Amino acid sequence: KSVSSIQINNKEYPSDDYTNVTPKILSYLNKNLHLQRGHPLCIVRQRIVNYFYSSFTHGGNPTFSVYDNLSPIVSTKQNFDDLLIPLDHVSRVKSDCYYINNSLLLRAHMTAHQSELLRAGLDNFLMIGDVYRRDEIDSTHYPVFHQVDAVRSQRKEQLFKNHPGLEIFEKAFLDNPLSFRNSIIDPSKQSCHTLEATKLMENQLKTHLLSLVKVLFGDDIRHRWVDAYFPFTHPSWEMEIFYENKWMEVLGCGIVRNEIMSNAGPNNSIAYAFGLGLERLVMALYKIPDIRLVWSTDSGFLTQFENKDLHTKIIYKPVSNYPQCTNDLSFWLPPAYTIDNFISNDFYDLVRDVGGDIIEQVKLKDKFVHPKTKKHSLCYSIVYRHLERTLTQAEVNRVHRKIEEAATESLGVTIR
Ligand code: PHE
């Protein structure tokens, strides 16, 4: 009997009747859009990190540490068991997750890393990365998306610094902790926690998340809180923001179940946690109408975000659906010029003059100084695209030729 296996990132994993990852899904594994400079997901990730870095400091250092490079391959223990997700919970079903085999899967949420980081002794941290879910296909769902998850814990001295004497835990719980395990009876709090501690944490959680959303969207953003349920927090909420005439869920949050805290180590603190979906925020922020666009490698999409200050207001302009066509143009500069004093904008204007609106982009691809002749050469890529129809290669070549002629004529360059 042959044992079958699958290869991911040059590692072999045994496969079994749980295996349902596909080559297409695995192809997203190392994309790391949230770390790709100039990508809208990266811009918003950075703005969120900056918010937490600047809002929470101790002794001049950021309180939060950031983990944005954790492997998306996790165990069912990490993704579910450690988070008190019951064995028969719907979120475990094969039809909702991408399993590598019956004990490993592509994380379905960044919360999968919460317990291990708590166990490592961390108390305030962000976990940022790609998550994988089998889901419906529409303009706001994609099988891979990105989340920012966080834990903020506090001990009694920090939480109640203005109210010394108040306690995080009920006295009866401290007297007999074991009798309190998994006791969620009261909708407003966990049985082990005092109401004061829970309310203060709820208030901080909601205040911090609302100011984050206002930092991103401005003060006018409309939001609402909806009661929610997660196995790993209690009480729990979701925040929705008003976008395109609809309420759209952007994050889930709540007070971390004390069983998770004490299993992982700290038994003297209370924590809030949240997980927010980066794509939803990015789409609402830049008015990107379809989630597939965040995976676009089309320069017509990407250049709308590149080389921008983090806070530039960007409104996405739809790019044409017709295909791009890229032709390169290399030339030797006339003797009076070097690659350093040649005015690129002169060339850009010329390209636009000759090519008109079918020019989508011109980018400098290469600079070169000939070692013997010392002549200087530049190479530009010209991206052509018509907004209303598919251009033929012959048509593009004709325009490209005209650009070469005009450049020779008015800039004195020599086409290579
Ligand atoms: N993991 C939850 C999700 O993916 C979000 C969440 C994180 C909720 C942390 C509460 C606390 O939907």
Side-chain angles (χ1 to χ4, degrees), residues 11-55:
K11 250 194 90 171
E12 295 265 346
Y13 296 87
S15 53
D16 58 25
D17 59 351
Y18 255 77
T19 308
N20 64 359
V21 287
T22 61
K24 172 78 180 152
I25 285 298
L26 292 174
S27 76
Y28 291 106
L29 234 46
N30 300 311
K31 295 269 197 266
N32 286 329
L33 294 183
H34 62 294
L35 302 176
Q36 183 181 309
R37 259 184 79 89
H39 193 280
L41 290 169
C42 184
I43 298 174
V44 174
R45 174 195 61 89
Q46 193 59 53
R47 291 184 65 188
I48 294 171
V49 168
N50 289 353
Y51 169 79
F52 282 95
Y53 275 172
S54 61
S55 307

Side-chain angles (χ1 to χ4, degrees), residues 83 108-112 114 131 133 145 147-150 230 232-233 236-238 249 251-256 272-276:
L83 295 168
H109 56 179
M110 288 306 292
T111 322
Q114 185 182 89
V131 302
R133 286 189 205 170
F145 59 102
Q147 286 185 323
V148 176
D149 240 62
F230 302 103
F232 33 94
T233 50
S236 310
W237 303 272
E238 279 168 0
E249 180 209 321
L251 64 87
C253 61
I255 311 296
V256 178
Y272 71 61
F274 66 83
L276 61 81

Side-chain angles (χ1 to χ4, degrees), residues 4-15 21 26 29-30 71 73-74 100-101 104:
S4 38
S5 67
I6 44 170
Q7 245 202 350
I8 307 172
N9 291 341
N10 297 320
K11 250 194 90 171
E12 295 265 346
Y13 296 87
S15 53
V21 287
L26 292 174
L29 234 46
N30 300 311
S71 168
I73 300 173
V74 299
I100 293 163
N101 54 43
L104 294 175

Side-chain angles (χ1 to χ4, degrees), residues 222-224 240-249:
R222 289 176 63 197
H223 81 287
R224 70 180 184 194
E240 298 181 343
I241 60 174
F242 200 65
Y243 172 61
E244 300 272 280
N245 289 312
K246 281 201 296 271
W247 288 103
M248 175 170 75
E249 180 209 321

